């Protein structure tokens, strides 16, 4: 099997190499070859032996870490869609319906993004960046299940091209590409990604040919609000208790932790994100400093706001810190988005500060800004922009310490 | 006396270590120096092709400072002066016959401390072993005209498969080591630091006097003198610090004490490419195949370690600095879908592999594969874990070198950062970037501009 594969690729290689008739398609050949077989390239200068770790493995492990989130989200989409119709579904039914809603979105994201990625690789003559595998999975997970497929395609192409490729590809980008894609959809088609009408699979934007094919899409029952817990907590009268507002919708803390609530496809489950976080930290892929910073920042800011909340303040002011952690996209963003090694701070101390400020900003946006019930995307993108500045100060502090140590002439 | 624990670093568990007793080899038919490996040495021929030389005859001298010479390890005839690009001398080959000895000045151990500074310096420079003394920053051959702030003599080695201090320094080398210490003290007036690994016992080193002793423990590069300088006595201002290996100091000492050039040394033949890795006693500059024998299969011959060693043709010679010849099998196996599978058998520095998580267990047959595509730096916080020099931010340093921003590079520690650390960064890099070559590029730029 391996011999045969090696022969096939060795036979094809001359056509794709410099001077061959298919030279322009080298990135495709290289991508296909290294998909099937680990590279056989020998070291020829510098250090003679190298570690087996490579970018492909790094990225695939992030996908593995996403599995709990994807599976819980998948099942929950089905549950929520049936709940909107007032039907109590079995887990199998929920998975079927969830799959019908979710898979076309993921497939669209990979296809449209993949084409954009490939075109750039051919034009810019660089190898296919496996970081795309993660971007094209993260992006759909931040969307509501009713999002029209053409918006998914628009979003991911924007994310890949403007978020990443124009800067030179993975490693050069300033913003997280998946969040860039989401921000594009969020500001361009706000009605399809926010509000109370989009969070079940049969909601406002649903134009899925696929789901019609399966006969899904009965109208929502009367009395179904469709709001997310964050929206619910923010919609009370001044002075109202946020927790009571959430519980009035029938959601307990445990529901929000496990993820049986309306929301974007991958953000609902703090449990899924937590499992992913444990995996990412154990394998050393994502920075625990960023995650700890985010949680600390959010808890600190929420505690401060709780402290100053008065009888006339908005209901969100009274939401306790531990509720912030399981509601909305906080857990998902903390674990999978804020930790993107490229767009986050690159110094150890910087990572703590960067994480902390994301946590602070999320809570501030959620509580103080009446226009956006959720603030995770904006907080992360904002701090992406500031990460180099944080690094700058940490680097300067380090070089000053170095200089001081070496200054005194012996 | 200080006891320093190095936390960051990596011992690469590569297979092929030498073990057992030291085998005495007969004198080789040819020996050679490669002046190109001695950075900072500008050679001029003293003996030309066809000239007869004795053991210890000067054969090459350093143009800017002619008392610095290389001496012939064997008696015989200069067979060939091989030249490479721009006519630099790549190999200076002496063919052996006879055993005539050149008589050098001998000084008794007790008298060395009393030598005048210039006299001591001249004695060291002309011993034939001066090129083994290097200086930081830049790790070039020490300049005899500039007094160092300190001297580090390292009896430690932690590089992959490199022979250890106890294997290279015998119990009767104590006087020779002391002679070298006293000579360098007399020649410079600088403080001498003698380092060894905490886990190792080397009586000849432990009993040395008129030095400051230091012990180091921890993973590679804990045994690297460049790193040790950063931790004990970093060069301050525009000053320099000299360093050499204790085993080279022993060669220097024996030469001074006996008045005859001490060419004998222990060399390790290591690597999975050899049937039986071994330790041998031979002379400096012995042919690689004389030291290691034949390779089992197609292999890469490396002077030194897989991290910082130079790959050379198998028909060349073993070099001045390194005490190991690593024969690395060249064949690289490919795996189907390797990136997506658990790969339980593969060892890695990274915890993304099971055996990176629980440790290697037994030595691993590492091969010279890249095992990945070349990518931009994706900073996952791994480089910091193999960098032991304080206050270095490796990613930022590398980026400033790529940007050719020399001022920024220097501020970020271009001159302290060590070759071994850069090599470890290359080894673990998931983006397969050659940081060791980048560091060299940065240092070359510094030399150009300075």
């Amino acid at each position: 099997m391996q011999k045969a594969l090696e022969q096939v690729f060795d036979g094809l290689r001359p056509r794709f190499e410099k001077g061959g008739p298919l030279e322009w398609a080298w990135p495709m050949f290289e991508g296909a070859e290294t998909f099937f077989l680990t590279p056989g390239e020998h070291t020829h200068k510098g250090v003679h032996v190298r570690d087996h770790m490579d970018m492909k493995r790094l990225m695939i492990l992030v996908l593995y870490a996403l599995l709990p989130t994807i599976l819980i989200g998948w099942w929950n989409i089905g549950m929520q869609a049936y709940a909107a119709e007032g039907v109590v579904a079995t887990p199998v039914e929920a998975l079927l319906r969830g799959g019908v809603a979710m898979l076309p979105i993921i497939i669209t994201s990979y296809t449209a993004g993949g084409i954009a990625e490939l075109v750039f690789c051919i034009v810019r003559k660089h190898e296919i960046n496996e970081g795309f595998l993660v971007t094209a999975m993260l992006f759909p997970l931040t969307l509501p299940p009713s999002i029209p497929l053409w918006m998914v395609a628009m979003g991911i192409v924007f994310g890949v091209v403007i978020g990443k490729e124009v800067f030179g590809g993975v490693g050069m980008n300033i913003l997280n590409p998946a969040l860039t894609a989401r921000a594009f959809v969020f500001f361009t088609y706000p009605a399809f990604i926010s509000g109370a009408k989009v969070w079940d699979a049969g909601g406002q934007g649903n134009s899925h040919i696929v789901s019609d094919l399966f006969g899904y899409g009965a109208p929502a029952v009367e009395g179904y609000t469709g709001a997310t817990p964050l929206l619910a907590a923010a919609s009370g009268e001044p002075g109202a208790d946020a927790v009571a507002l959430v519980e009035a919708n029938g959601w307990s803390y445990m529901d929000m932790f496990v993820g049986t609530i309306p929301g974007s496809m991958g953000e609902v489950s703090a449990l899924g994100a937590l499992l992913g976080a444990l995996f990412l930290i154990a394998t050393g892929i994502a920075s625990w400093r960023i995650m700890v910073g985010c949680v600390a920042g959010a808890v600190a800011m929420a505690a401060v706001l709780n402290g100053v909340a008065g009888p006339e303040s908005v209901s969100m002011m009274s939401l306790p810190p531990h509720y912030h952690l399981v509601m909305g996209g906080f857990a998902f963003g903390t674990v999978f988005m804020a930790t993107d090694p490229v767009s986050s701070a690159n110094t150890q101390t910087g990572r703590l500060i960067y994480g902390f400020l994301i946590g602070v900003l999320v809570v501030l946006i959620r509580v103080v800004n009446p226009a956006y019930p959720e603030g995770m995307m904006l907080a992360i993108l904002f701090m992406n922009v500031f990460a180099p500045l944080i690094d700058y100060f940490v680097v300067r502090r380090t070089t000053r310490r170095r200089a001081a140590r070496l200054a005194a002439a012996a | 006396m200080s006891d320093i624990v190095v936390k960051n670093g990596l011992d690469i568990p590569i297979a092929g270590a030498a073990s057992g007793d030291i085998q005495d080899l007969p004198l080789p038919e040819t020996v050679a120096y490669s002046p190109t490996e001695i950075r900072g040495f500008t050679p001029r021929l003293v003996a030309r092709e066809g000239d007869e030389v004795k053991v210890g005859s000067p054969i090459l001298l350093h143009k800017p400072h002619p008392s610095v010479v290389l001496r012939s390890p064997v008696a015989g005839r200069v067979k060939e002066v091989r030249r490479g690009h721009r006519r630099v001398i790549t190999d200076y080959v002496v063919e052996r016959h006879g055993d005539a000895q050149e008589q050098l000045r001998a000084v008794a151990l007790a008298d060395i401390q009393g030598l005048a500074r210039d006299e001591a310096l001249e004695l060291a420079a002309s011993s034939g072993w001066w090129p083994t003394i290097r200086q930081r920053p830049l790790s070039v051959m020490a300049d005899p005209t500039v007094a160092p702030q300190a001297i580090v003599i390292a009896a430690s080695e932690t590089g992959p498969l490199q022979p250890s201090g106890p294997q290279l320094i015998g119990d009767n080398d104590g006087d020779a080591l002391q002679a070298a210490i006293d000579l360098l003290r007399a020649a410079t007036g600088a403080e001498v630091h003698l380092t060894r690994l905490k886990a190792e016992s080397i009586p000849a080193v432990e009993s040395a006097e008129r030095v400051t002793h230091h012990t180091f423990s921890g993973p590679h590069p804990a045994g690297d003198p460049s790193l040790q300088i950063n931790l004990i006595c970093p060069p301050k201002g525009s000053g320099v610090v000299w360093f050499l290996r204790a085993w080279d100091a022993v060669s220097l000492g024996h030469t001074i004490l006996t008045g005859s050039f001490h060419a004998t040394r222990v060399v390790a033949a290591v690597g999975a490419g050899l049937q039986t890795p071994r330790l041998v006693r031979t002379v400096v500059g012995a042919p690689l195949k004389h030291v290691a024998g034949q390779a089992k299969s197609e292999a890469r011959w490396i002077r030194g370690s897989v991290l910082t060693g130079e790959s050379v043709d198998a028909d060349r010679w073993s070099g001045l600095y390194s005490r190991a010849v690593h024969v690395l099998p060249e064949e690289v196996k490919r795996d189907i879908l390797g990136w997506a599978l658990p790969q339980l058998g593969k060892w890695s520095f990274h915890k993304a592999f099971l055996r990176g998580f629980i440790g290697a267990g037994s030595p691993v047959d590492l091969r010279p594969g890249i095992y990945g595509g070349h990518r931009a730096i994706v900073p996952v916080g791994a480089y910091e874990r193999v960098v032991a020099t304080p206050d270095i931010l490796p990613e930022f340093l590398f980026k400033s070198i790529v940007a050719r921003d020399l001022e920024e590079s220097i501020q970020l520690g271009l001159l302290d950062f060590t070759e071994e650390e850069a090599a470890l960064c290359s080894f673990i890099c998931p983006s397969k970037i050659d940081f060791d070559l980048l560091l060299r590029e940065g240092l070359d730029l510094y030399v150009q501009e300075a």
Side-chain angles (χ1 to χ4, degrees):
Chain A
M1 166 79 171
Q2 178 164 357
K3 276 259 143 42
L5 266 175
E6 282 181 32
Q7 275 171 5
V8 168
F9 283 112
D10 287 344
L12 287 172
R13 184 171 301 108
R15 287 173 221 205
F16 292 93
E17 273 172 345
K18 248 194 163 65
L22 297 171
E23 187 187 332
W24 57 272
W26 170 256
M28 280 193 258
F29 173 78
E30 197 272 345
E33 185 184 16
T34 55
F35 177 87
F36 287 110
L37 289 165
T38 50
E41 188 187 347
H42 289 229
T43 55
H44 57 100
K45 50 186 184 172
V47 175
H48 299 279
V49 293
R50 304 298 168 96
D51 200 283
H52 280 89
M53 184 72 183
D54 70 344
M55 226 22 95
K56 280 196 176 54
R57 190 173 184 86
L58 194 139
M59 296 301 174
I60 194 78
L61 287 185
V62 179
L63 283 188
Y64 292 160
L66 278 166
L67 281 178
T69 296
I70 295 170
L71 290 177
I72 297 174
W74 178 330
W75 166 75
N76 182 54
I77 293 166
M79 293 300 284
Q80 295 301 327
Y82 279 116
E85 292 161 17
V87 180
V88 178
T90 65
V92 176
E93 284 172 328
L95 278 175
L96 272 175
R97 181 143 188 199
V100 167
M102 189 185 207
L103 290 180
I105 298 177
I106 292 176
I107 292 168
T108 305
S109 173
Y110 272 103
T111 313
I115 292 170
E117 176 85 19
L118 204 57
V119 167
F120 259 84
C121 287
I122 290 169
V123 173
R124 300 286 307 270
K125 299 186 172 53
H126 64 61
E127 294 173 337
I128 295 173
N129 280 321
E130 40 285 289
F132 165 71
L133 294 178
V134 172
T135 305
M137 180 54 92
L138 286 178
F139 170 57
L141 292 178
T142 65
L143 299 174
S146 68
I147 191 91
L149 294 181
W150 64 270
M151 285 183 200
V152 177
M154 295 281 286
I156 190 70
V157 170
F158 185 87
V160 165
V161 174
I162 304 297
K164 186 178 75 176
E165 289 298 339
V166 294
F167 295 103
V170 171
M172 319 286 186
N173 49 304
I174 294 167
L175 299 174
N176 182 322
L179 279 184
T180 310
R182 186 180 195 273
F184 172 79
V185 177
F186 182 82
F187 287 113
T188 318
Y189 315 110
F192 293 86
I193 197 168
S194 50
K197 296 201 174 82
V198 301
W199 303 109
D200 78 88
Q204 153 150 334
N206 186 330
S207 62
H208 301 172
I209 307 160
V210 198
S211 79
D212 294 345
L213 220 62
F214 282 80
Y216 294 134
V221 291
E222 212 159 307
Y224 175 80
T225 65
T228 64
L230 271 177
L231 202 57
S235 56
E237 295 297 311
D241 178 33
V243 175
L245 288 169
V246 172
E247 278 168 358
N249 280 275
W251 300 309
S252 67
Y253 188 81
M254 208 29 131
D255 291 335
M256 295 189 287
F257 176 72
V258 175
T260 54
I261 49 171
S264 293
M265 292 191 284
E267 73 167 19
V268 290
S269 176
L271 174 66
L274 186 65
L275 291 174
L278 292 178
F279 182 78
L280 288 178
I281 292 172
T283 51
I285 287 173
S287 164
W288 60 265
R289 287 182 175 81
I290 294 176
M291 298 187 208
V292 167
C294 281
V295 172
V299 167
M301 195 65 225
V304 168
L305 291 174
N306 285 171
V308 299
E312 290 303 308
S313 50
V314 293
S315 52
M316 276 300 280
M317 291 273 273
S318 62
L319 192 68
H322 61 289
Y323 273 80
H324 275 287
L325 304 186
V326 297
M327 288 164 76
F330 180 84
F332 182 78
T334 296
V335 175
F336 296 107
M337 293 289 193
T339 53
D340 169 15
V342 177
S343 57
S344 63
N346 292 353
T347 52
Q348 302 292 38
T349 320
R351 289 184 175 118
L352 271 175
I353 301 172
Y354 161 88
F356 188 85
L357 291 178
I358 287 178
V360 168
L361 275 176
V362 176
V363 174
L364 264 185
I365 296 172
R366 282 179 177 180
V367 175
V368 178
N369 186 332
Y372 303 128
E374 173 55 310
M376 199 57 187
M377 172 187 80
L378 294 171
I380 296 175
L381 286 174
F382 193 73
M383 288 316 297
N384 280 171
V385 174
F386 278 92
L389 189 68
I390 297 172
D391 280 339
Y392 175 82
F393 286 112
V394 177
V395 169
R396 286 286 80 91
R397 200 193 54 174
T398 309
T399 54
R400 268 205 307 278
R401 198 169 53 212
R402 228 191 113 263
R405 194 165 51 82
L406 300 179
Chain B
M1 173 80 199
S2 69
D3 183 20
I4 296 169
V5 180
V6 173
K7 288 203 189 75
N8 293 349
L10 171 66
D11 287 322
I12 298 174
I14 187 168
S19 56
D21 293 334
I22 299 169
Q23 296 175 30
D24 283 296
L25 292 185
L27 283 174
E29 289 311 303
T30 58
V31 297
Y33 285 117
S34 299
T36 41
E37 72 166 339
I38 309 171
R39 282 204 297 271
F41 181 77
T42 319
R44 173 182 282 172
L45 299 180
V46 178
R48 301 186 171 277
E49 259 175 65
D51 288 358
E52 294 288 325
V53 291
K54 300 176 189 170
V55 178
S57 296
I59 49 180
L60 291 162
L61 63 77
H62 179 46
K63 268 187 212 168
H65 199 99
S67 61
V68 172
V69 293
L70 281 172
R71 295 185 179 275
S72 175
V74 296
R77 191 177 57 86
V78 180
K79 187 186 175 201
E80 189 185 0
V81 179
R82 283 193 200 165
R83 290 178 186 272
H85 183 58
R86 289 177 141 186
R87 304 212 13 98
V88 296
I89 302 172
T90 55
D91 296 285
Y92 184 103
V93 191
V94 178
E95 192 174 35
R96 183 181 66 83
H97 64 82
D99 52 6
Q101 281 274 351
E102 176 116 355
Q103 188 55 45
L104 310 174
R105 182 178 165 197
V107 184
L109 181 55
D111 300 336
I112 295 176
Q113 289 182 71
L115 290 172
R117 197 154 165 164
D118 288 350
E119 204 181 357
L121 194 64
E122 183 66 21
L123 205 58
S126 62
S127 66
W129 294 110
W130 183 270
T132 62
I133 307 173
R134 287 174 279 180
Q135 66 184 34
R136 297 280 299 166
L138 297 177
S139 297
V140 294
M141 188 178 78
D143 179 354
T145 60
V146 179
Q149 291 171 348
I151 300 173
V152 170
I153 301 180
S156 55
E157 173 61 271
T158 46
L161 298 189
Q162 302 304 289
S164 62
Q167 288 172 322
L168 298 175
I169 300 173
D171 289 348
N172 45 14
D173 287 331
D175 281 353
L177 181 60
Q178 189 63 55
I181 291 166
D182 290 343
L183 184 71
L184 290 174
R185 271 168 53 91
T188 61
E191 183 182 5
V192 178
H193 301 272
L194 184 59
T195 66
R196 63 174 194 275
L197 296 181
K198 195 172 188 183
E200 291 174 352
S201 161
I202 320 171
V205 172
E206 283 159 60
S207 61
E209 292 169 350
R210 294 178 285 283
V211 291
T212 313
H213 286 275
H214 303 271
T215 56
F216 282 81
S217 46
H220 186 61
D224 177 40
S226 300
L227 173 76
Q228 294 171 350
I229 288 174
N230 288 342
L231 299 176
I232 316 172
C233 52
K236 299 193 169 177
S238 57
V240 298
V241 172
W242 289 0
F243 68 94
L244 70 161
R245 298 285 194 175
W247 32 97
D248 291 325
V250 165
S251 299
L252 167 66
H254 278 303
T255 304
I256 301 297
L257 291 176
T258 60
S260 58
F261 183 69
H262 185 82
T264 310
R265 54 163 52 182
V266 173
V267 181
V270 298
L274 293 172
Q275 208 70 50
T276 38
R278 59 182 185 177
L279 286 161
V280 299
R281 189 171 284 111
T282 180
V283 291
V284 57
L288 293 170
K289 284 185 173 164
H290 179 77
V291 170
Q294 292 296 328
K296 276 192 291 195
S297 53
E298 195 201 342
R300 181 179 299 200
W301 291 68
I302 301 164
R303 278 180 187 159
S305 78
V306 286
L307 282 177
T308 47
E310 182 193 4
S311 155
V312 293
D313 192 277
D315 292 321
R316 288 179 70 191
W317 294 265
S318 54
L320 176 69
Y321 291 112
S322 82
R323 292 297 180 100
V325 174
H326 192 127
V327 182
L328 180 67
E330 193 67 59
E331 191 197 0
V332 172
K333 286 202 173 63
R334 310 184 68 176
D335 296 309
I336 294 179
L337 296 176
W339 56 288
L341 298 176
Q343 305 235 55
L344 297 179
K346 290 256 186 323
W347 174 81
S348 165
F349 164 76
H350 298 272
K351 293 195 171 71
F353 290 76
L354 184 67
R355 282 181 72 192
F357 206 82
I358 59 175
S362 52
V364 185
D365 182 9
L366 294 177
R367 297 299 176 87
I370 298 266
Y371 304 122
H374 299 276
R375 299 288 184 269
I377 297 184
V378 173
V380 288
Y383 308 119
E384 290 92 331
R385 288 165 50 209
V386 296
V387 171
T389 299
D391 301 332
I392 296 279
L393 299 166
E395 286 140 15
F396 291 87
L397 173 59
F398 297 136
K399 284 179 180 174
S400 71
I401 296 174
V402 172
R404 296 180 76 80
D405 183 346
L406 191 59
E407 200 178 321
E408 174 83 0
S409 305
I410 293 171
Q411 277 191 26
L412 287 167
L414 172 70
L415 300 178
D416 325 0
F417 197 55
T418 69
E419 261 183 90
E420 296 289 339
E421 289 170 299
L424 283 173
C425 289
S426 303
F427 175 79
I428 64 159
C429 182
S431 302
K432 310 299 173 186
I433 296 169
D434 293 308
F435 294 117
D436 47 326
L437 303 180
L438 256 180
L439 174 66
R440 184 103 317 273
E441 208 176 284
L443 292 173
D444 287 347
L445 183 69
Y446 170 79
V447 172
Q448 245 175 55
E449 305 273 312

